[in-house]
Amino acid sequence: TLDFAADNAVIFNGGAATTFTNTGLLLKSGGAGTTSIGNGLNFDNQGVVDVQTGTLALPANFSNNGTLMGTGSYAVAGTLFNAGTVAPGASPGTLALAGNYLQGAGGSFAVDLESLASHDLFNISGSAALGGTLALSCHAACSYAVGDVFTILDAVGELSGSFSQITLSGFASGAFDVIYDTAGDRVQLQVTQAVTAVPEPGSWALMAAGLLAVARLARLARRRQR
C-alpha cells in the first residue's frame, strides 16, 4: 500500500525512463487538494487506486488496466481509457473525473445499487464514449419499484456508444432498462421488474425452518383425518 495522507506528487526527475507499476493499493486518504502522478513518469495501474478525498491527477491520456475507485476525483489531461474497472463510491457513493472518458470492450463500469437515495454515480466533466460491461451489484437490502428511474453516469460533454453487456450480482429479483440520454448526456436505469436482495443466510435458515414447521403441521393434520 502506498498511502497519500496529504497533497503530494510522484514525478519523473531525470535519468533513464522510469515506470511506476501498481499491483497493490494506491490510496489517497488525506488532503483536499491534488496529488499528482506524472511529469514524464510511466504509470501502469494493475492493482487498485482508491481516491477517498481530494483529486488524483493521472498522466495525460491515461490507460487504466486495474481498478479506479473512490469518492474523490480523478483528473486527466485528455482522455481516461478504461480497460479495467471504474467503480464509483464507497458502497455506494459519487466519483468525479475531470477529463474525457472512453471505456473499451474489455472495460467494466461497476455500480452498487441500494435505493433511489443511495446508489453509485460517475460525474464526468468531458465527453463519455461507452463500451464493454456495465456491472450492477445489489448493495445491502437493495430495493426499487417498477418505474423507478435514476442516473448512474452524468457527462458534461457528449455521450456516445453503449455497453455491450450488463451483468447483475446479488439480486434476488429485478430487471432494468438502460437509458442512454444523449440529449442530457447521461446514463439512467429504469426498473422494469421490482428489485429485491438475496436474503441473508440467517433469513434462509428462518425460511427453511418455517417451511419445515408447516410441513410437520400438514402431516399431523393428515394423520388426524385418518
Side-chain angles (χ1 to χ4, degrees):
T1 299
L2 175 60
D3 184 3
F4 293 99
D7 298 325
N8 302 111
V10 178
I11 63 174
F12 175 57
N13 201 32
T18 303
T19 297
F20 171 26
T21 302
N22 174 42
T23 57
L25 172 63
L26 194 155
L27 178 67
K28 178 169 169 56
S29 64
T34 300
T35 290
S36 299
I37 300 176
N39 286 6
L41 181 69
N42 297 316
F43 178 48
D44 180 12
N45 178 46
Q46 298 180 12
V48 176
V49 181
D50 184 2
V51 178
Q52 297 179 347
T53 182
T55 299
L56 180 68
L58 298 166
N61 296 318
F62 179 69
S63 294
N64 171 55
N65 298 305
T67 297
L68 301 179
M69 61 181 294
T71 52
S73 300
Y74 291 94
V76 61
T79 300
L80 169 60
F81 300 90
N82 180 34
T85 299
V86 168
S91 297
T94 299
L95 180 67
L97 170 66
N100 301 314
Y101 181 71
L102 191 159
Q103 181 165 298
S108 179
F109 177 43
V111 178
D112 288 336
L113 306 176
E114 184 175 10
S115 66
L116 286 176
S118 180
H119 58 83
D120 285 346
L121 172 63
F122 190 24
N123 285 323
I124 302 167
S125 71
S127 63
L130 304 178
T133 299
L134 171 62
L136 303 177
S137 297
C138 170
H139 177 71
C142 62
S143 178
Y144 293 89
V146 173
D148 284 348
V149 179
F150 51 97
T151 301
I152 58 172
L153 184 151
D154 194 357
V156 174
E158 181 180 0
L159 175 70
S160 61
S162 61
F163 300 109
S164 60
Q165 66 172 342
I166 301 168
T167 62
L168 301 176
S169 175
F171 298 94
S173 66
F176 304 89
D177 278 343
V178 181
I179 302 170
Y180 300 96
D181 179 5
T182 54
D185 297 310
R186 59 186 178 176
V187 178
Q188 296 181 303
L189 296 179
Q190 181 172 27
V191 180
T192 58
Q193 178 187 4
V195 171
T196 58
V198 173
E200 295 293 329
S203 300
W204 282 115
L206 288 172
M207 187 182 300
L211 291 173
L212 286 172
V214 170
R216 290 193 188 102
L217 290 172
R219 284 198 297 270
L220 287 172
R222 285 195 297 270
R223 288 172 183 170
R224 287 169 183 162
Q225 289 173 357
R226 292 173 186 169

PDB file of all heavy atoms in Angstrom, residues 146-173:
ATOM      1  N   VAL A 146     -40.972  -0.918  -9.663  1.00  0.00           N
ATOM      2  CA  VAL A 146     -41.131  -0.810 -11.116  1.00  0.00           C
ATOM      3  C   VAL A 146     -41.412   0.651 -11.479  1.00  0.00           C
ATOM      4  O   VAL A 146     -42.247   1.310 -10.860  1.00  0.00           O
ATOM      5  CB  VAL A 146     -42.278  -1.714 -11.608  1.00  0.00           C
ATOM      6  CG1 VAL A 146     -42.548  -1.469 -13.086  1.00  0.00           C
ATOM      7  CG2 VAL A 146     -41.928  -3.182 -11.373  1.00  0.00           C
ATOM      8  N   GLY A 147     -40.686   1.157 -12.457  1.00  0.00           N
ATOM      9  CA  GLY A 147     -40.854   2.541 -12.892  1.00  0.00           C
ATOM     10  C   GLY A 147     -39.846   3.510 -12.316  1.00  0.00           C
ATOM     11  O   GLY A 147     -39.723   4.632 -12.809  1.00  0.00           O
ATOM     12  N   ASP A 148     -39.119   3.103 -11.279  1.00  0.00           N
ATOM     13  CA  ASP A 148     -38.076   3.971 -10.719  1.00  0.00           C
ATOM     14  C   ASP A 148     -37.012   4.259 -11.774  1.00  0.00           C
ATOM     15  O   ASP A 148     -36.592   3.360 -12.516  1.00  0.00           O
ATOM     16  CB  ASP A 148     -37.411   3.309  -9.508  1.00  0.00           C
ATOM     17  CG  ASP A 148     -38.271   3.362  -8.260  1.00  0.00           C
ATOM     18  OD1 ASP A 148     -39.269   4.106  -8.261  1.00  0.00           O
ATOM     19  OD2 ASP A 148     -37.954   2.649  -7.283  1.00  0.00           O
ATOM     20  N   VAL A 149     -36.574   5.518 -11.837  1.00  0.00           N
ATOM     21  CA  VAL A 149     -35.543   5.946 -12.790  1.00  0.00           C
ATOM     22  C   VAL A 149     -34.489   6.742 -12.030  1.00  0.00           C
ATOM     23  O   VAL A 149     -34.826   7.632 -11.237  1.00  0.00           O
ATOM     24  CB  VAL A 149     -36.137   6.813 -13.925  1.00  0.00           C
ATOM     25  CG1 VAL A 149     -35.033   7.267 -14.880  1.00  0.00           C
ATOM     26  CG2 VAL A 149     -37.203   6.042 -14.690  1.00  0.00           C
ATOM     27  N   PHE A 150     -33.214   6.447 -12.279  1.00  0.00           N
ATOM     28  CA  PHE A 150     -32.143   7.178 -11.606  1.00  0.00           C
ATOM     29  C   PHE A 150     -30.900   7.176 -12.480  1.00  0.00           C
ATOM     30  O   PHE A 150     -30.729   6.330 -13.361  1.00  0.00           O
ATOM     31  CB  PHE A 150     -31.846   6.580 -10.221  1.00  0.00           C
ATOM     32  CG  PHE A 150     -31.612   5.097 -10.223  1.00  0.00           C
ATOM     33  CD1 PHE A 150     -30.334   4.577 -10.248  1.00  0.00           C
ATOM     34  CD2 PHE A 150     -32.683   4.213 -10.204  1.00  0.00           C
ATOM     35  CE1 PHE A 150     -30.120   3.211 -10.245  1.00  0.00           C
ATOM     36  CE2 PHE A 150     -32.484   2.840 -10.198  1.00  0.00           C
ATOM     37  CZ  PHE A 150     -31.199   2.338 -10.223  1.00  0.00           C
ATOM     38  N   THR A 151     -30.017   8.154 -12.229  1.00  0.00           N
ATOM     39  CA  THR A 151     -28.834   8.384 -13.061  1.00  0.00           C
ATOM     40  C   THR A 151     -27.610   7.746 -12.431  1.00  0.00           C
ATOM     41  O   THR A 151     -27.364   7.910 -11.234  1.00  0.00           O
ATOM     42  CB  THR A 151     -28.596   9.890 -13.241  1.00  0.00           C
ATOM     43  OG1 THR A 151     -29.750  10.481 -13.864  1.00  0.00           O
ATOM     44  CG2 THR A 151     -27.368  10.156 -14.099  1.00  0.00           C
ATOM     45  N   ILE A 152     -26.822   7.022 -13.248  1.00  0.00           N
ATOM     46  CA  ILE A 152     -25.589   6.394 -12.758  1.00  0.00           C
ATOM     47  C   ILE A 152     -24.339   6.994 -13.405  1.00  0.00           C
ATOM     48  O   ILE A 152     -23.229   6.787 -12.895  1.00  0.00           O
ATOM     49  CB  ILE A 152     -25.611   4.870 -12.980  1.00  0.00           C
ATOM     50  CG1 ILE A 152     -25.808   4.527 -14.465  1.00  0.00           C
ATOM     51  CG2 ILE A 152     -26.687   4.217 -12.126  1.00  0.00           C
ATOM     52  CD1 ILE A 152     -25.656   3.049 -14.779  1.00  0.00           C
ATOM     53  N   LEU A 153     -24.491   7.721 -14.504  1.00  0.00           N
ATOM     54  CA  LEU A 153     -23.362   8.388 -15.168  1.00  0.00           C
ATOM     55  C   LEU A 153     -23.871   9.685 -15.766  1.00  0.00           C
ATOM     56  O   LEU A 153     -24.909   9.696 -16.427  1.00  0.00           O
ATOM     57  CB  LEU A 153     -22.753   7.482 -16.241  1.00  0.00           C
ATOM     58  CG  LEU A 153     -21.494   7.986 -16.967  1.00  0.00           C
ATOM     59  CD1 LEU A 153     -20.614   6.799 -17.418  1.00  0.00           C
ATOM     60  CD2 LEU A 153     -21.843   8.830 -18.202  1.00  0.00           C
ATOM     61  N   ASP A 154     -23.113  10.762 -15.523  1.00  0.00           N
ATOM     62  CA  ASP A 154     -23.535  12.075 -15.992  1.00  0.00           C
ATOM     63  C   ASP A 154     -22.323  12.799 -16.571  1.00  0.00           C
ATOM     64  O   ASP A 154     -21.337  13.034 -15.870  1.00  0.00           O
ATOM     65  CB  ASP A 154     -24.133  12.872 -14.836  1.00  0.00           C
ATOM     66  CG  ASP A 154     -24.902  14.098 -15.306  1.00  0.00           C
ATOM     67  OD1 ASP A 154     -24.930  14.356 -16.522  1.00  0.00           O
ATOM     68  OD2 ASP A 154     -25.483  14.799 -14.450  1.00  0.00           O
ATOM     69  N   ALA A 155     -22.367  13.112 -17.857  1.00  0.00           N
ATOM     70  CA  ALA A 155     -21.259  13.780 -18.539  1.00  0.00           C
ATOM     71  C   ALA A 155     -21.663  15.197 -18.917  1.00  0.00           C
ATOM     72  O   ALA A 155     -22.816  15.469 -19.253  1.00  0.00           O
ATOM     73  CB  ALA A 155     -20.854  13.006 -19.783  1.00  0.00           C
ATOM     74  N   VAL A 156     -20.697  16.106 -18.855  1.00  0.00           N
ATOM     75  CA  VAL A 156     -20.927  17.471 -19.312  1.00  0.00           C
ATOM     76  C   VAL A 156     -20.810  17.535 -20.832  1.00  0.00           C
ATOM     77  O   VAL A 156     -21.570  18.225 -21.511  1.00  0.00           O
ATOM     78  CB  VAL A 156     -19.931  18.440 -18.653  1.00  0.00           C
ATOM     79  CG1 VAL A 156     -20.062  19.841 -19.236  1.00  0.00           C
ATOM     80  CG2 VAL A 156     -20.157  18.468 -17.143  1.00  0.00           C
ATOM     81  N   GLY A 157     -19.838  16.786 -21.377  1.00  0.00           N
ATOM     82  CA  GLY A 157     -19.658  16.722 -22.824  1.00  0.00           C
ATOM     83  C   GLY A 157     -20.564  15.679 -23.463  1.00  0.00           C
ATOM     84  O   GLY A 157     -21.497  15.168 -22.836  1.00  0.00           O
ATOM     85  N   GLU A 158     -20.275  15.329 -24.689  1.00  0.00           N
ATOM     86  CA  GLU A 158     -21.131  14.437 -25.472  1.00  0.00           C
ATOM     87  C   GLU A 158     -21.066  12.998 -24.971  1.00  0.00           C
ATOM     88  O   GLU A 158     -20.002  12.470 -24.656  1.00  0.00           O
ATOM     89  CB  GLU A 158     -20.712  14.490 -26.938  1.00  0.00           C
ATOM     90  CG  GLU A 158     -21.558  13.623 -27.846  1.00  0.00           C
ATOM     91  CD  GLU A 158     -21.112  13.686 -29.297  1.00  0.00           C
ATOM     92  OE1 GLU A 158     -20.138  14.402 -29.575  1.00  0.00           O
ATOM     93  OE2 GLU A 158     -21.722  13.002 -30.134  1.00  0.00           O
ATOM     94  N   LEU A 159     -22.229  12.354 -24.910  1.00  0.00           N
ATOM     95  CA  LEU A 159     -22.326  10.930 -24.588  1.00  0.00           C
ATOM     96  C   LEU A 159     -22.510  10.146 -25.868  1.00  0.00           C
ATOM     97  O   LEU A 159     -23.354  10.472 -26.700  1.00  0.00           O
ATOM     98  CB  LEU A 159     -23.520  10.686 -23.655  1.00  0.00           C
ATOM     99  CG  LEU A 159     -23.823   9.222 -23.331  1.00  0.00           C
ATOM    100  CD1 LEU A 159     -22.742   8.627 -22.440  1.00  0.00           C
ATOM    101  CD2 LEU A 159     -25.195   9.089 -22.661  1.00  0.00           C
ATOM    102  N   SER A 160     -21.695   9.074 -26.030  1.00  0.00           N
ATOM    103  CA  SER A 160     -21.810   8.237 -27.217  1.00  0.00           C
ATOM    104  C   SER A 160     -21.546   6.785 -26.838  1.00  0.00           C
ATOM    105  O   SER A 160     -21.009   6.483 -25.770  1.00  0.00           O
ATOM    106  CB  SER A 160     -20.823   8.685 -28.305  1.00  0.00           C
ATOM    107  OG  SER A 160     -19.487   8.570 -27.843  1.00  0.00           O
ATOM    108  N   GLY A 161     -21.913   5.881 -27.741  1.00  0.00           N
ATOM    109  CA  GLY A 161     -21.679   4.459 -27.517  1.00  0.00           C
ATOM    110  C   GLY A 161     -22.681   3.846 -26.559  1.00  0.00           C
ATOM    111  O   GLY A 161     -23.632   4.489 -26.105  1.00  0.00           O
ATOM    112  N   SER A 162     -22.455   2.579 -26.244  1.00  0.00           N
ATOM    113  CA  SER A 162     -23.329   1.855 -25.316  1.00  0.00           C
ATOM    114  C   SER A 162     -22.571   0.661 -24.761  1.00  0.00           C
ATOM    115  O   SER A 162     -21.572   0.211 -25.330  1.00  0.00           O
ATOM    116  CB  SER A 162     -24.607   1.384 -26.016  1.00  0.00           C
ATOM    117  OG  SER A 162     -24.295   0.501 -27.077  1.00  0.00           O
ATOM    118  N   PHE A 163     -23.043   0.129 -23.642  1.00  0.00           N
ATOM    119  CA  PHE A 163     -22.428  -1.052 -23.053  1.00  0.00           C
ATOM    120  C   PHE A 163     -22.818  -2.284 -23.867  1.00  0.00           C
ATOM    121  O   PHE A 163     -23.975  -2.424 -24.265  1.00  0.00           O
ATOM    122  CB  PHE A 163     -22.875  -1.215 -21.606  1.00  0.00           C
ATOM    123  CG  PHE A 163     -22.519  -0.053 -20.720  1.00  0.00           C
ATOM    124  CD1 PHE A 163     -23.496   0.810 -20.254  1.00  0.00           C
ATOM    125  CD2 PHE A 163     -21.197   0.184 -20.371  1.00  0.00           C
ATOM    126  CE1 PHE A 163     -23.173   1.889 -19.438  1.00  0.00           C
ATOM    127  CE2 PHE A 163     -20.856   1.272 -19.562  1.00  0.00           C
ATOM    128  CZ  PHE A 163     -21.849   2.121 -19.103  1.00  0.00           C
ATOM    129  N   SER A 164     -21.846  -3.173 -24.083  1.00  0.00           N
ATOM    130  CA  SER A 164     -22.125  -4.365 -24.884  1.00  0.00           C
ATOM    131  C   SER A 164     -22.775  -5.467 -24.064  1.00  0.00           C
ATOM    132  O   SER A 164     -23.420  -6.354 -24.617  1.00  0.00           O
ATOM    133  CB  SER A 164     -20.833  -4.891 -25.525  1.00  0.00           C
ATOM    134  OG  SER A 164     -19.880  -5.235 -24.533  1.00  0.00           O
ATOM    135  N   GLN A 165     -22.602  -5.428 -22.738  1.00  0.00           N
ATOM    136  CA  GLN A 165     -23.270  -6.397 -21.884  1.00  0.00           C
ATOM    137  C   GLN A 165     -23.536  -5.810 -20.504  1.00  0.00           C
ATOM    138  O   GLN A 165     -22.845  -4.886 -20.065  1.00  0.00           O
ATOM    139  CB  GLN A 165     -22.464  -7.687 -21.757  1.00  0.00           C
ATOM    140  CG  GLN A 165     -21.141  -7.547 -21.028  1.00  0.00           C
ATOM    141  CD  GLN A 165     -20.478  -8.886 -20.775  1.00  0.00           C
ATOM    142  OE1 GLN A 165     -21.120  -9.941 -20.827  1.00  0.00           O
ATOM    143  NE2 GLN A 165     -19.185  -8.871 -20.500  1.00  0.00           N
ATOM    144  N   ILE A 166     -24.556  -6.368 -19.845  1.00  0.00           N
ATOM    145  CA  ILE A 166     -24.928  -5.945 -18.499  1.00  0.00           C
ATOM    146  C   ILE A 166     -24.950  -7.179 -17.612  1.00  0.00           C
ATOM    147  O   ILE A 166     -25.548  -8.197 -17.963  1.00  0.00           O
ATOM    148  CB  ILE A 166     -26.306  -5.262 -18.493  1.00  0.00           C
ATOM    149  CG1 ILE A 166     -26.295  -4.042 -19.417  1.00  0.00           C
ATOM    150  CG2 ILE A 166     -26.704  -4.840 -17.093  1.00  0.00           C
ATOM    151  CD1 ILE A 166     -27.662  -3.487 -19.704  1.00  0.00           C
ATOM    152  N   THR A 167     -24.294  -7.099 -16.453  1.00  0.00           N
ATOM    153  CA  THR A 167     -24.292  -8.208 -15.510  1.00  0.00           C
ATOM    154  C   THR A 167     -24.959  -7.773 -14.212  1.00  0.00           C
ATOM    155  O   THR A 167     -24.892  -6.612 -13.818  1.00  0.00           O
ATOM    156  CB  THR A 167     -22.870  -8.706 -15.216  1.00  0.00           C
ATOM    157  OG1 THR A 167     -22.110  -7.653 -14.604  1.00  0.00           O
ATOM    158  CG2 THR A 167     -22.167  -9.130 -16.509  1.00  0.00           C
ATOM    159  N   LEU A 168     -25.608  -8.731 -13.528  1.00  0.00           N
ATOM    160  CA  LEU A 168     -26.289  -8.484 -12.262  1.00  0.00           C
ATOM    161  C   LEU A 168     -25.696  -9.396 -11.204  1.00  0.00           C
ATOM    162  O   LEU A 168     -25.472 -10.587 -11.452  1.00  0.00           O
ATOM    163  CB  LEU A 168     -27.790  -8.756 -12.387  1.00  0.00           C
ATOM    164  CG  LEU A 168     -28.569  -7.936 -13.427  1.00  0.00           C
ATOM    165  CD1 LEU A 168     -30.015  -8.398 -13.482  1.00  0.00           C
ATOM    166  CD2 LEU A 168     -28.517  -6.458 -13.097  1.00  0.00           C
ATOM    167  N   SER A 169     -25.464  -8.840 -10.001  1.00  0.00           N
ATOM    168  CA  SER A 169     -24.879  -9.618  -8.915  1.00  0.00           C
ATOM    169  C   SER A 169     -25.582  -9.294  -7.604  1.00  0.00           C
ATOM    170  O   SER A 169     -25.729  -8.117  -7.249  1.00  0.00           O
ATOM    171  CB  SER A 169     -23.385  -9.316  -8.794  1.00  0.00           C
ATOM    172  OG  SER A 169     -22.815  -9.964  -7.678  1.00  0.00           O
ATOM    173  N   GLY A 170     -26.012 -10.331  -6.868  1.00  0.00           N
ATOM    174  CA  GLY A 170     -26.583 -10.149  -5.543  1.00  0.00           C
ATOM    175  C   GLY A 170     -28.068  -9.851  -5.505  1.00  0.00           C
ATOM    176  O   GLY A 170     -28.614  -9.595  -4.428  1.00  0.00           O
ATOM    177  N   PHE A 171     -28.748  -9.863  -6.649  1.00  0.00           N
ATOM    178  CA  PHE A 171     -30.175  -9.575  -6.691  1.00  0.00           C
ATOM    179  C   PHE A 171     -30.979 -10.866  -6.592  1.00  0.00           C
ATOM    180  O   PHE A 171     -30.665 -11.858  -7.257  1.00  0.00           O
ATOM    181  CB  PHE A 171     -30.553  -8.870  -7.997  1.00  0.00           C
ATOM    182  CG  PHE A 171     -29.895  -7.530  -8.191  1.00  0.00           C
ATOM    183  CD1 PHE A 171     -28.709  -7.420  -8.896  1.00  0.00           C
ATOM    184  CD2 PHE A 171     -30.474  -6.382  -7.686  1.00  0.00           C
ATOM    185  CE1 PHE A 171     -28.101  -6.189  -9.086  1.00  0.00           C
ATOM    186  CE2 PHE A 171     -29.876  -5.142  -7.869  1.00  0.00           C
ATOM    187  CZ  PHE A 171     -28.689  -5.043  -8.569  1.00  0.00           C
ATOM    188  N   ALA A 172     -32.042 -10.846  -5.770  1.00  0.00           N
ATOM    189  CA  ALA A 172     -32.980 -11.969  -5.757  1.00  0.00           C
ATOM    190  C   ALA A 172     -33.950 -11.844  -6.922  1.00  0.00           C
ATOM    191  O   ALA A 172     -34.384 -12.835  -7.504  1.00  0.00           O
ATOM    192  CB  ALA A 172     -33.737 -12.017  -4.443  1.00  0.00           C
ATOM    193  N   SER A 173     -34.309 -10.614  -7.244  1.00  0.00           N
ATOM    194  CA  SER A 173     -35.169 -10.327  -8.385  1.00  0.00           C
ATOM    195  C   SER A 173     -34.839  -8.934  -8.883  1.00  0.00           C
ATOM    196  O   SER A 173     -34.211  -8.134  -8.180  1.00  0.00           O
ATOM    197  CB  SER A 173     -36.649 -10.410  -7.995  1.00  0.00           C
ATOM    198  OG  SER A 173     -36.977  -9.382  -7.070  1.00  0.00           O
TER     199      SER A 173
END
